[in-house]
C-alpha cells in the first residue's frame, strides 16, 4: 500500500536523508517503487521501480539538496509499477510536485479535460492529474492552499495528498479523504505521513487531520485549517511506541518476533477490562450484534459471533466488509455493529463503518490509535499488541481475540471465561517453549501443494486462520473447513499426498471431530493433530502431534491453538526460502 512522507526542517540542512529513513519505515506497507522530491531553487525529483535500497543505489537520494521535500512508496493500483508511474508526480512545467495515497475514481474525465486544455501527461496513474490541477488553479490566482482545496473538490475517490510548489516555496500542504494521514511535531522539523511508524525516529507528537482539513507545514510549525480556511486548534497526541518496538530486536523476521510477543499482547489487552466494562455500560441494551471485518480480523469476528451467541445469547451475525451492503440494510437502532481491524484503515471496513453510523451504534476494535476507524466509530477499544510490521497478522489477531473475549465475557457477566483468559499468556508461553519441536515437524510439510485445516465449533475459525496463514506466506494452497462439511465435497480431494491439520481440543465437539479425523486417515492423508496433552487417541491416529496444555478448553482454544499453526506457517516459509514478512502481492494496510 502506498506510503507518503513530507518533512520541512527548522534549519536549512538537507532533508533527503531524513525523508529516506522515514520512507524506509513504511516498507512494511508493501510497495513496488519509491521516489523523493526536494526543493532547492527548483523542484528535484528522483524515483525508480523496485527495492528501496536498489533504487537508492541507482539514484543516490542523499545527494538531493533542499531543507524540505516529500517522499513516497507506491503500491500500484492505477497504472503498472514503472519508473514513470512512481511518485512524486509533477505538472508539465515542473512547478508542483505531489505524492498521493488512494485511488481517484474520476481521474480519466479530469485527464481528458486537462489534455484538451493543452496539458501533457507522462504517467498512466490517476495521481498525475493532481499536480496539473493545482498548477492550473495557482495560475488562476489561488495560493497553494487554495489550489489544493479547489483541486480536492474536483476529485472523487480516496486520497491523502502532500503538495509543494516552486511558486510558493518553503511550504508543504497536505489533506485527506478516506485515506490515512498524520502530521507530527519533531525537535528538528515538522512531518506529514501516512502512518506514525514513518516518523517515530524524529517526532512523537501527532495530530490526525480530519477529512477536508488542510495541514500547512512551514519551518515555523504546522497549522491545520478547516474547509473554510479557518485555523483549527488541536492538541497533539503523544505516541509512546519506541523506535526499537518497530524493529526486529534480534529476531530473524518480524513475524517470529511478533509471534513471540503474543503472550504480552494478551496481558496488555487484558488491561482494557475496565474500559470495556465502561463501554458496555454506555452502549446499554443490545438486541442484535453484527461483526464486520476482513481477512484475519474476519476470523477473529467468527469467534466473536460464537462467543456472544453462546455466552450472552444475543443474536449475532458476522459479515466480510466488502460483502456487507445487503446486511447493512438490516442494521437499525437496536443493532450494535462491531468492526474488527488491526490497522483501523482497511477501506472496505471503513466504508461499512460510515454506513453503520447512519443507523446503529458502532464499536471499533482496532490496534492503531488515531487511525480512521477509531475516529469514525462511536465507541473504540484499542488492542494492545503494539506495532505489527509483518504482513501476516499474528499478535494483533490474538489481541483482537482477547478484546472480543473480554467484551463477550463482561457482557454476559461470565466470570469463568474472564478468569480463564488470565491464564492464556501462560498457555501461549508453553507453546512457545515447544517451538524447536514445531520447527522440526514443519520440515516434513514444505513439500505440500495443498493442505486442509479442519475444526468444529470454536475450532472452525482456528482452521480458517491456520489455512490463511499457510497460503499467504508459503504459497501452498490451503483450505480451512468446518470439519462437518468434509463429506459435502472436500473429502474427494484427500489422498496420501495431502496434509490435513486437525484442531481437536477437549470439549463438546471432540467426538465428532475424531470421526472426521478417522475419515481422512482412511483416505491416507498425512495427519498433523493439534490436541490436548495426553490425548492418546488423537496421537495414535496421526503422523505428527502438537500438544497443548489440557486445561485449555474448546472455548478458549482459539487464543492458544492458533499459535502452533502460525509457527508451522512461519517455519515452512523459511524452509522454502521465502520472506515471511513480505509475502508477494500482499500489503499490510489495504486502504484502497
Ligand atoms: C492476514 O494475515 C492479513 N494481514 C489480512 O488478512 C488482514 O487481516 C486484513 O487485510 C484486514 O486488515 P485489518 O485487520 O487491518 O483491517
Amino acid at each position: 500500500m502506498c506510503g507518503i512522507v513530507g518533512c520541512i526542517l527548522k534549519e536549512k540542512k538537507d532533508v533527503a536523508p531524513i525523508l529516506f529513513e522515514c520512507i524506509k519505515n513504511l516498507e512494511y506497507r508493501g510497495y513496488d517503487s519509491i521516489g523523493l522530491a526536494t526543493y532547492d531553487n527548483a523542484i528535484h525529483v528522483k524515483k525508480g521501480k523496485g527495492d528501496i535500497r536498489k533504487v537508492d543505489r541507482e539514484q543516490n537520494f542523499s545527494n538531493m539538496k533542499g531543507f524540505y521535500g516529500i517522499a513516497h512508496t507506491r503500491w500500484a493500483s492505477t497504472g503498472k509499477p514503472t519508473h514513470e508511474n512512481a511518485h512524486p508526480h509533477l505538472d508539465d512545467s515542473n512547478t508542483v510536485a505531489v505524492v498521493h495515497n488512494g485511488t481517484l475514481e474520476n481521474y480519466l474525465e479530469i485527464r481528458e479535460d486537462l489534455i484538451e486544455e493543452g496539458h501533457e501527461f507522462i504517467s498512466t496513474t490517476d495521481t498525475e492529474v493532481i499536480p496539473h490541477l493545482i498548477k492550473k488553479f495557482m495560475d488562476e490566482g489561488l495560493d497553494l492552499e487554495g489550489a489544493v482545496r479547489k483541486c480536492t473538490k474536483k476529485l472523487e475517490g480516496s486520497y491523502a495528498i502532500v503538495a509543494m510548489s516552486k511558486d510558493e516555496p518553503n511550504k508543504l500542504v497536505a489533506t485527506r479523504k478516506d485515506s490515512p494521514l498524520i502530521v507530527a511535531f519533531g525537535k528538528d522539523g515538522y512531518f506529514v505521513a501516512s502512518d506514525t511508524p514513518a516518523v517515530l525516529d524524529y517526532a512523537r507528537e501527532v495530530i490526525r487531520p480530519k477529512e477536508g482539513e488542510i495541514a500547512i507545514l512551514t519551518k515555523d510549525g504546522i497549522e491545520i485549517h478547516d474547509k473554510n480556511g479557518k485555523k483549527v486548534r488541536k492538541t497533539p497526541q503523544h505516541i509512546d511506541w519506541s523506535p526499537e518496538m518497530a524493529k526486529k530486536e534480534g529476531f530473524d523476521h518480524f513475524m517470529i518476533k511478533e509471534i513471540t510477543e503474543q503472550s504480552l499482547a494478551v496481558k496488555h489487552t487484558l488491561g482494557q477490562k475496565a474500559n470495556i466494562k465502561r463501554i458496555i455500560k454506555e452502549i446499554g441494551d443490545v438486541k442484535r450484534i453484527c461483526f464486520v471485518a476482513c481477512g484475519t480480523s474476519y476470523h477473529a469476528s467468527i469467534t466473536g459471533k460464537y462467543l456472544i451467541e453462546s455466552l450472552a445469547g444475543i443474536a449475532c451475525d458476522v459479515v466480510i466488509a466488502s460483502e456487507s451492503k445487503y446486511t447493512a440494510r438490516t442494521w437499525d437502532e437496536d443493532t450494535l455493529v462491531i468492526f474488527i481491524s488491526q490497522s483501523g484503515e482497511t477501506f472496505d471496513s471503513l466504508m461499512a463503518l460510515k454506513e453503520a453510523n447512519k443507523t446503529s451504534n458502532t464499536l471499533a476494535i482496532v490496534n492503531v490509535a488515531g487511525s480512521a476507524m477509531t475516529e469514525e466509530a462511536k465507541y473504540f477499544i484499542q488492542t494492545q499488541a503494539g506495532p505489527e510490521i509483518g504482513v501476516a497478522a499474528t499478535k494483533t489477531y490474538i489481541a483482537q481475540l482477547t478484546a472480543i473475549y473480554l467484551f463477550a465475557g463482561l457482557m454476559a457477566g461470565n466470570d469463568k471465561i474472564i478468569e480463564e483468559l488470565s491464564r492464556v499468556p501462560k498457555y501461549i508461553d508453553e507453546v512457545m517453549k515447544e517451538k524447536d519441536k514445531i520447527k522440526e515437524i514443519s520440515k516434513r510439510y514444505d513439500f505440500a501443494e495443498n493442505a486442509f485445516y479442519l475444526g468444529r465449533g470454536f475450532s472452525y475459525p482456528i482452521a480458517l486462520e491456520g489455512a490463511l496463514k499457510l497460503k499467504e506466506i508459503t504459497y501452498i494452497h490451503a483450505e480451512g473447513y468446518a470439519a462437518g462439511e468434509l463429506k459435502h465435497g472436500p473429502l474427494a480431494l484427500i489422498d496420501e499426498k495431502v496434509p490435513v491439520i486437525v484442531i481437536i481440543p477437549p470439549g463438546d465437539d471432540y467426538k465428532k471431530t475424531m470421526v472426521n479425523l478417522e475419515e481422512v486417515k482412511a483416505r491416507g492423508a498425512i495427519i498433523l493433530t493439534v490436541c490436548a496433552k495426553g490425548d492418546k487417541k488423537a496421537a495414535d491416529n496421526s503422523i505428527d502431534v502438537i500438544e497443548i496444555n489440557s486445561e485449555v478448553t474448546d472455548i478458549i482454544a482459539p487464543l492458544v491453538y492458533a499459535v502452533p499453526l502460525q509457527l508451522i506457517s512461519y517455519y515452512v516459509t523459511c524452509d522454502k526460502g521465502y520472506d515471511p514478512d513480505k509475502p508477494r502481492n500482499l500489503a499490510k494496510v489495504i486502504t484502497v
Side-chain angles (χ1 to χ4, degrees), residues 269-443:
T269 305
L270 287 175
Q272 291 291 302
K273 186 173 165 189
N275 188 30
I276 295 175
K277 225 179 196 167
R278 176 188 58 79
I279 289 172
I280 292 170
K281 201 168 161 209
E282 280 178 29
I283 290 174
D285 273 352
V286 172
K287 291 210 172 66
R288 176 190 170 204
I289 289 177
C290 184
F291 281 93
V292 182
C294 305
T296 292
S297 301
Y298 171 71
H299 300 153
S301 300
I302 301 175
T303 308
K305 169 186 159 69
Y306 288 0
L307 269 177
I308 284 171
E309 288 179 342
S310 61
L311 299 183
I314 296 172
C316 189
D317 301 308
V318 52
V319 57
I320 293 171
S322 57
E323 291 289 329
S324 61
K325 73 175 173 188
Y326 304 115
T327 313
R329 291 184 195 159
T330 69
W331 293 337
D332 59 18
E333 67 274 13
D334 293 324
T335 314
L336 171 68
V337 191
I338 304 181
F339 293 82
I340 309 290
S341 176
Q342 181 284 128
S343 60
E345 303 286 356
T346 302
F347 186 80
D348 289 320
S349 302
L350 185 58
M351 292 304 118
L353 170 52
K354 288 183 179 180
E355 199 52 37
N357 272 337
K358 293 179 191 162
T359 51
S360 310
N361 239 345
T362 54
L363 165 67
I365 301 183
V366 169
N367 193 50
V368 181
S371 59
M373 291 170 71
T374 66
E375 300 216 337
E376 280 291 331
K378 294 178 186 159
Y379 298 95
F380 155 53
I381 297 167
Q382 188 182 5
T383 49
Q384 303 293 315
E388 185 175 73
I389 308 298
V391 166
T394 52
K395 64 174 178 171
T396 56
Y397 169 63
I398 298 295
Q400 287 170 346
L401 288 174
T402 308
I404 291 170
Y405 275 80
L406 271 178
F407 184 83
L410 291 168
M411 191 170 225
N414 188 317
D415 296 338
K416 187 165 171 280
I417 207 90
I418 305 289
E419 201 248 310
E420 270 188 82
L421 265 184
S422 65
R423 290 195 293 271
V424 166
K426 176 185 102 164
Y427 300 141
I428 293 178
D429 287 339
E430 287 169 3
V431 176
M432 293 309 290
K433 284 196 190 122
E434 298 297 312
K435 72 176 195 278
D436 290 341
K437 182 185 159 201
I438 296 171
K439 188 175 177 180
E440 279 309 302
I441 291 176
S442 306
K443 287 187 184 147

Side-chain angles (χ1 to χ4, degrees), residues 39-108:
Y39 177 83
D40 178 39
N41 295 319
I43 293 178
H44 307 285
V45 174
K46 287 187 179 190
K47 59 188 184 179
K49 186 185 156 201
D51 179 81
I52 282 189
R53 288 148 204 89
K54 172 190 122 339
V55 180
D56 183 39
R57 279 196 300 277
E58 291 159 4
Q59 301 282 338
N60 199 356
F61 290 117
S62 57
N63 264 353
M64 296 175 81
K65 295 283 166 220
F67 75 102
Y68 72 98
I70 54 183
H72 191 267
T73 47
R74 177 168 190 257
W75 189 71
S77 53
T78 309
K80 287 184 181 154
T82 61
H83 177 93
E84 289 71 33
N85 285 343
H87 298 215
H89 286 287
L90 295 157
D91 69 299
D92 44 11
S93 63
N94 289 2
T95 307
V96 175
V98 165
V99 285
H100 163 225
N101 174 15
T103 39
L104 304 180
E105 287 154 17
N106 62 339
Y107 81 100
L108 280 174

Side-chain angles (χ1 to χ4, degrees), residues 25-299:
N25 290 334
L26 289 180
E27 271 191 279
Y28 70 94
R29 292 168 70 93
Y31 69 99
D32 52 58
S33 44
I34 81 150
L36 262 71
T38 57
Y39 177 83
D40 178 39
N41 295 319
I43 293 178
H44 307 285
V45 174
K46 287 187 179 190
K47 59 188 184 179
K49 186 185 156 201
D51 179 81
I52 282 189
R53 288 148 204 89
K54 172 190 122 339
V55 180
D56 183 39
R57 279 196 300 277
E58 291 159 4
Q59 301 282 338
N60 199 356
F61 290 117
S62 57
N63 264 353
M64 296 175 81
K65 295 283 166 220
F67 75 102
Y68 72 98
I70 54 183
H72 191 267
T73 47
R74 177 168 190 257
W75 189 71
S77 53
T78 309
K80 287 184 181 154
T82 61
H83 177 93
E84 289 71 33
N85 285 343
H87 298 215
H89 286 287
L90 295 157
D91 69 299
D92 44 11
S93 63
N94 289 2
T95 307
V96 175
V98 165
V99 285
H100 163 225
N101 174 15
T103 39
L104 304 180
E105 287 154 17
N106 62 339
Y107 81 100
L108 280 174
E109 296 109 84
I110 298 176
R111 189 176 160 116
E112 274 167 28
D113 290 348
L114 288 166
I115 289 171
E116 253 176 48
E117 290 169 21
H119 293 254
E120 283 177 22
F121 287 83
I122 294 167
S123 78
T124 52
T125 62
D126 49 352
T127 304
E128 201 181 355
V129 300
I130 301 174
H132 283 261
L133 281 176
I134 295 173
K135 170 71 168 75
K136 175 179 150 159
F137 298 139
M138 289 185 83
D139 286 347
E140 288 171 8
L142 291 174
D143 62 5
L144 181 58
E145 179 186 350
V148 168
R149 185 172 286 113
K150 188 161 176 186
C151 167
T152 58
K153 291 204 175 111
K154 291 242 167 222
L155 305 179
E156 287 168 20
S158 58
Y159 51 81
I161 300 166
V162 190
M164 58 198 265
S165 168
K166 92 173 155 54
D167 285 350
E168 204 175 315
N170 308 336
K171 188 178 277 183
L172 297 174
V173 173
T175 191
R176 61 175 280 264
K177 178 181 166 266
D178 294 334
S179 281
L181 188 81
I182 56 112
V183 292
F185 300 74
K187 189 165 71 57
D188 299 323
Y190 302 100
F191 294 81
V192 54
S194 44
D195 207 351
T196 40
V199 300
L200 272 185
D201 292 320
Y202 303 98
R204 287 168 171 280
E205 306 303 318
V206 167
I207 291 174
R208 182 190 164 79
K210 282 211 164 77
E211 291 196 358
E213 288 179 341
I214 299 224
I216 297 131
L217 287 78
T218 64
K219 69 175 184 45
D220 302 317
I222 303 174
E223 278 193 13
I224 312 265
H225 292 175
D226 69 12
K227 55 177 182 284
N228 303 312
K230 218 171 129 225
K231 192 169 162 185
V232 190
R233 292 210 170 280
K234 293 189 184 236
T235 315
Q237 186 188 353
H238 181 76
I239 303 292
D240 58 7
W241 287 357
S242 68
E244 290 71 38
M245 279 170 85
K247 294 192 180 133
K248 286 188 203 156
E249 290 171 9
F251 288 94
D252 290 341
H253 300 99
F254 283 113
M255 184 176 175
I256 187 68
K257 170 177 174 277
E258 287 158 4
I259 291 173
T260 309
E261 288 167 347
Q262 293 188 119
S263 62
L264 261 187
V266 174
K267 274 186 207 150
H268 291 160
T269 305
L270 287 175
Q272 291 291 302
K273 186 173 165 189
N275 188 30
I276 295 175
K277 225 179 196 167
R278 176 188 58 79
I279 289 172
I280 292 170
K281 201 168 161 209
E282 280 178 29
I283 290 174
D285 273 352
V286 172
K287 291 210 172 66
R288 176 190 170 204
I289 289 177
C290 184
F291 281 93
V292 182
C294 305
T296 292
S297 301
Y298 171 71
H299 300 153

Side-chain angles (χ1 to χ4, degrees), residues 516-558:
N516 301 125
L517 194 156
E518 283 163 352
E519 278 166 359
V520 289
K521 188 184 176 201
R523 271 83 188 168
I526 307 155
I527 300 174
L528 163 57
T529 300
V530 189
C531 61
K533 204 177 181 80
D535 181 346
K536 205 167 164 322
K537 186 160 187 203
D540 287 348
N541 281 293
S542 312
I543 307 249
D544 286 305
V545 183
I546 297 172
E547 291 184 322
I548 306 289
N549 190 317
S550 58
E551 291 169 11
V552 178
T553 60
D554 52 352
I555 296 192
I556 216 85

